[in-house]
Each structure stands twice: as C-alpha cells, then as structure tokens.
Amino acid sequence: MSEGIMQADQPPELTGDTPDLFSKFDDTIKLRENLLASGVEDPFSLVMERVLSPTRAICNGRDTILLGTYNYMGMTFDPDVVAAGQKALADFGSGTTGSRVLNGTYQGHKECEDALREFYDMDHAMVFSTGYQANLGIISTIAGKGDYVVLDIDSHASIWDGCAMGNAEIVPFKHNDITAMEKRLKRIPEGAGKLVVLEGVYSMLGDIAPLKEMVKIAKDNGAMVLVDEAHSMGFIGEHGRGVVEQAGVIDDVDFIIGTFSKSVGTVGGFCVSNHPKFEIMRLVCRPYVFTASLPPSVVATAATSIRKLMTAKDKREHLWKNSQRLHSGLTQLGFKLGTDEPQSAIVAVIMPDLEKGAAMWSALLTEGLYVNLARPPATPANMTLLRCSLCAVHSDEEVETILGMFERAGKAVGII
C-alpha cells in the first residue's frame, strides 16, 4: 500500500474550527456527572441480572420488588404465554428477517391481528414492530403537508415524532384542557384535513383524558380522532379496551393505537380501526413497509396474552385495588402525588427537585424497591417524579411492604 493511500485513509484531525456535534449534549453530560458525584447509583443504568416473576427481580445484586415495569397485568410469566412463545420459536425459528409486505408476514402475525380485532371488536388491525413505530407510522401517513394535527401538549414523544415526520401543521393545546382544544380546532382553515390525537392515560402523572367531551368536540369540528391507549389496554374499561371504552366513545374514534410492551407483556405495537380504507396503510405506511416484522415467538406470546386479557376481570379488579391502596397510603404518609385520586395503574410521586428525587430513588433501591426516576424534559411542568406502575399480581402484602419502604426512604432523605 502506497504512502499516499495510507494518508488518505487517516481520519481528519479535529481543529478549533471543527464543530463537535456532541457539544449540544454538554449540559446533560454535566448534569449526569454531578448527579453521580453525589453518591447515588445511576438511575438510568440499572441492570436486572435475573427476573424472578412479574413483581420481583435481582437488580444490581439485590432481591428487588418491581414497581416500575409497566407490566400491568403480569403476563410476562403466564404459563400459556410462555409456552406459546416456546412453540413458535421451535416451529418458525428466531426471526423473520423481512418486512411485512415482503417475506415478513407469518401465520402468527395474522393470528395476532385476529386476536386484536376480536379484543376490540373492530374490522381492521395492523401490527407494528414497536408501539413507537405504530404512532410514528399511522400519524405520519394519514396527516401530511397541509393537514393539521391537534394534540395535547403532554403527548408522548412518538406522537410528536409522527407529526414531524408527516410534515403536518402541529397545533398543541394545554394538557387536558377541553376549551383550549376546541379553540384550536375552530382556528383551522376551512377544508383542511384535521386529526386530533389524544392519550387515554398519560404516562407521567397517570391521569386520564376527558375523552367523552373531547371526542365529541373533535367530531363536531370535522376532525378524525386517534387515541393512544398504551397505558390503559387490558386494564381500564369493562373488557379492558381502554379509556375509550370506559368513556363510551370507542365507536366514535377512528384509530386506537396500543403497544404489547405493557399489559400484553412482550414487545410490539398496533393500530385498530373501522375505517373502510384502512388496509391501504399496509402499502403506504413507511415505518411498516421498511422495517423487519416481529419474531414469530413474540407475536405468538402477544396473541395468547391478548386472548387471555379478554377474560381477565378478576385481575383488573385486583389491579384497581392495588392502585387505590398505594395511592391512599402514600397520601397518608405525606407524599405529594400527581393526581388527587387514583386514575390508572400509574401513581406518580412528585419530588422537590432532581437531587432529592435521585436520592429518594437510590434510597428505595437500597430498601429493595425499583421505581422510575423521571425528569425534565420528559415530565410536564419541569417536574421530577418517581413513577410507580402497579401490577395485577402484586400481592396485598407486597403493596404494604412498598408503603413501608417509601416511609423509611422518605424520612431518610427528608422528603416526609
């Protein structure tokens, strides 16, 4: 190899005039360094060395109660679900290696979509590789340049990213503010395409949307409606179909988005709809067309779990009991919570600041309890909070143990 070629292969040296594309993250890097320098364990690098059940794991070497996994219905270790995954792995192999529109649609994908149609009693179901991709794909495909998306300011990142990818006009309104939503809708030019995007349960505070009123206003103003039910599927509503079912508007919404990574207990995303033209989405939705499909074992576990959730009334009732007990217990201890009453399986505990929040998170982990530490910009109103997500198979005794852990950690850190 000649000297000239060797020189050409060398990367250019950084000079004082060369911009470092990582400089934009310097504030975040400094924040993390300062946090770790205070002596707390890294809240964002926790490792589960072994998972024992839906509610317990070995985390950083400790036997730990899990209260931050979104495993709402405890389906991850259900014997029927695990057996279905094992059989599909043996029969179909480890992966599809292809897109749904080419070689990536297996029998299991169709069976999973059949289960979703039956669960929601809807005409169409479309499975994506993640819940994020479901929002990204559906929103960006149906709302494009010249269309308007009216959405709650606290919407999930995947919703915002779907709007940006579609290049639609984004019109946010104050969180759960019915009047603000209506005002935004009325300002949209006559004849423009309109999509209202809402969430059944908002994942940071665990509060629900006033869907009955909002869906009516959207329809009265000629908008289509998409509701993300990621944090309510399987749990809220008589049949576990979400806040749309509880509010009595399931037949009025155009699209329901969901995920398999919460109540279903695996990974993946979906959209269900009664729109007569919905099936064309399989050919025009880029995040569906241009990504590999879910492995056969994953869709087998999802389909089995979804069918079992149809008859999970007892588990839903116990999960409500757990949520009510944790919420009332933490309130009695003196913690500030995200909602006045329990509205979902999420109970958010508001912290004074990030430093206290990290210290509280670390103290709880030392006690043997894992929760989520959430901070700005992911949280509303620049809050730092500890997010607790309950499970239908948390026992009464575990919930009482959790309250004792919060009491001891809260007093040690000086929050209560």
Side-chain angles (χ1 to χ4, degrees), residues 140-163:
S140 66
T141 305
I142 62 178
K145 188 174 180 59
D147 297 324
Y148 288 76
V149 180
V150 179
L151 75 168
D152 192 293
I153 193 72
D154 288 350
S155 293
H156 190 266
S158 60
I159 293 172
W160 286 99
D161 291 352
C163 295

Side-chain angles (χ1 to χ4, degrees), residues 178-250:
I178 299 169
T179 302
M181 189 195 88
E182 185 171 22
K183 287 180 178 177
R184 301 298 188 277
L185 275 167
K186 290 187 179 302
R187 292 174 187 162
I188 294 174
E190 190 72 26
K194 289 170 281 191
L195 175 69
V196 171
V197 180
L198 305 166
E199 295 183 49
V201 173
Y202 288 86
S203 64
M204 284 298 157
L205 297 182
D207 56 332
I208 66 172
L211 289 185
K212 189 175 185 65
E213 297 83 359
M214 286 183 159
V215 171
K216 183 180 186 306
I217 289 169
K219 290 300 177 179
D220 287 347
N221 285 273
M224 300 184 82
V225 179
L226 180 151
V227 180
D228 184 329
E229 293 281 17
H231 292 274
S232 58
M233 179 203 178
F235 170 40
I236 295 178
E238 182 182 356
H239 301 93
R241 294 169 182 164
V243 182
V244 288
E245 181 181 38
Q246 184 183 62
V249 296
I250 193 167

Side-chain angles (χ1 to χ4, degrees), residues 30 66-68 109 111 119 133 145 196 210 298 326 369 372 409:
K30 187 65 175 176
L66 301 175
L67 193 64
H109 296 94
E111 291 172 0
F119 183 90
Q133 282 189 316
K145 188 174 180 59
V196 171
V298 170
L326 183 65
L369 179 66
N372 302 131

Side-chain angles (χ1 to χ4, degrees), residues 99-383:
S99 160
R100 286 293 304 275
V101 298
L102 296 175
N103 61 299
T105 293
Y106 285 23
Q107 181 62 28
H109 296 94
K110 305 300 290 183
E111 291 172 0
C112 188
E113 289 171 342
D114 288 343
L116 283 166
R117 281 192 289 270
E118 185 177 341
F119 183 90
Y120 282 99
D121 191 24
M122 288 201 172
D123 295 336
H124 307 284
M126 187 171 171
V127 167
F128 290 79
S129 296
T130 65
Y132 177 96
Q133 282 189 316
N135 267 329
L136 190 71
I138 296 296
I139 295 171
S140 66
T141 305
I142 62 178
K145 188 174 180 59
D147 297 324
Y148 288 76
V149 180
V150 179
L151 75 168
D152 192 293
I153 193 72
D154 288 350
S155 293
H156 190 266
S158 60
I159 293 172
W160 286 99
D161 291 352
C163 295
M165 180 174 166
N167 201 25
E169 298 292 331
I170 304 173
V171 185
F173 61 89
K174 183 180 177 183
H175 178 55
N176 274 349
D177 190 322
I178 299 169
T179 302
M181 189 195 88
E182 185 171 22
K183 287 180 178 177
R184 301 298 188 277
L185 275 167
K186 290 187 179 302
R187 292 174 187 162
I188 294 174
E190 190 72 26
K194 289 170 281 191
L195 175 69
V196 171
V197 180
L198 305 166
E199 295 183 49
V201 173
Y202 288 86
S203 64
M204 284 298 157
L205 297 182
D207 56 332
I208 66 172
L211 289 185
K212 189 175 185 65
E213 297 83 359
M214 286 183 159
V215 171
K216 183 180 186 306
I217 289 169
K219 290 300 177 179
D220 287 347
N221 285 273
M224 300 184 82
V225 179
L226 180 151
V227 180
D228 184 329
E229 293 281 17
H231 292 274
S232 58
M233 179 203 178
F235 170 40
I236 295 178
E238 182 182 356
H239 301 93
R241 294 169 182 164
V243 182
V244 288
E245 181 181 38
Q246 184 183 62
V249 296
I250 193 167
D251 293 330
D252 301 316
V253 302
D254 298 281
F255 310 98
I256 297 174
I257 296 284
T259 181
F260 298 154
S261 62
K262 297 176 174 55
S263 287
V264 178
T266 182
V267 67
F270 65 87
C271 179
V272 294
S273 176
N274 281 327
H275 195 288
K277 299 179 182 178
F278 184 78
E279 287 300 314
I280 196 61
M281 296 293 288
R282 297 185 192 276
L283 299 181
V284 297
C285 178
R286 290 168 65 88
Y288 178 89
V289 173
F290 293 103
T291 196
S293 63
L294 288 168
S297 56
V298 170
V299 287
T301 58
T304 304
S305 179
I306 291 163
R307 293 193 180 281
K308 296 197 75 169
L309 290 176
M310 295 180 196
T311 57
K313 181 180 178 182
D314 291 346
K315 294 181 79 171
R316 284 193 277 275
E317 290 177 352
H318 187 70
L319 181 50
W320 270 120
K321 179 183 175 183
N322 285 345
S323 179
Q324 290 161 353
R325 176 62 188 126
L326 183 65
H327 193 285
S328 65
L330 290 173
T331 300
Q332 291 165 10
L333 287 172
F335 288 99
K336 180 182 178 183
L337 304 185
T339 59
D340 294 334
E341 299 290 337
Q343 297 184 22
S344 67
I346 298 170
V347 177
V349 186
I350 311 301
M351 295 287 104
D353 52 46
L354 179 58
E355 290 72 23
K356 285 281 190 182
M360 182 71 183
W361 180 90
S362 187
L364 286 172
L365 190 64
T366 300
E367 285 278 343
L369 179 66
Y370 171 69
V371 297
N372 302 131
L373 174 64
R375 62 172 185 85
T379 54
N382 290 318
M383 293 178 182

